[in-house]
Amino acid sequence: MLTVVIPVYNEAPNIAPLLAELAVVKDILPELTEVIMVDDHSDDETLAILKNAKSLYPWLKILTLSARTGKSTAQWHGVRE
């Protein structure tokens, strides 16, 4: 079992390409069982895009933080999950 944790903040234009690349990796690497994206209280469309992508990528897990915490803390929350 392999989990990838990715903190994101205002990454709306980058989410779809990143998920498409991760889908290719997942096909090659069956040990990759989930990707956790931690939204660090983005104020753009990042969270909406992630929620819409969930139907295409069932291995995607989304964590949302209620306040901006920074990259390290967002990463920590994802690892803890």
Side-chain angles (χ1 to χ4, degrees):
M1 180 176 170
L2 177 64
T3 299
V4 174
V5 177
I6 304 170
V8 294
Y9 174 72
N10 289 347
E11 294 290 341
N14 302 314
I15 297 296
L18 176 59
L19 288 172
E21 287 185 38
L22 288 167
V24 171
V25 171
K26 182 152 179 23
D27 287 342
I28 296 168
L29 191 65
E31 297 86 14
L32 178 58
T33 56
E34 69 180 352
V35 173
I36 301 173
M37 289 203 163
V38 184
D39 179 44
D40 194 17
H41 201 67
S42 295
D43 55 15
D44 67 354
E45 296 298 314
T46 297
L47 184 56
I49 293 168
L50 285 171
K51 287 179 178 179
N52 288 335
K54 181 80 172 117
S55 62
L56 294 172
Y57 306 106
W59 39 263
L60 174 62
K61 185 170 187 176
I62 305 164
L63 291 180
T64 57
L65 302 180
S66 59
R68 177 109 167 87
T69 62
K71 184 177 178 181
S72 296
T73 302
Q75 183 82 29
W76 178 81
H77 281 286
V79 170
R80 215 174 114 207
E81 183 65 27

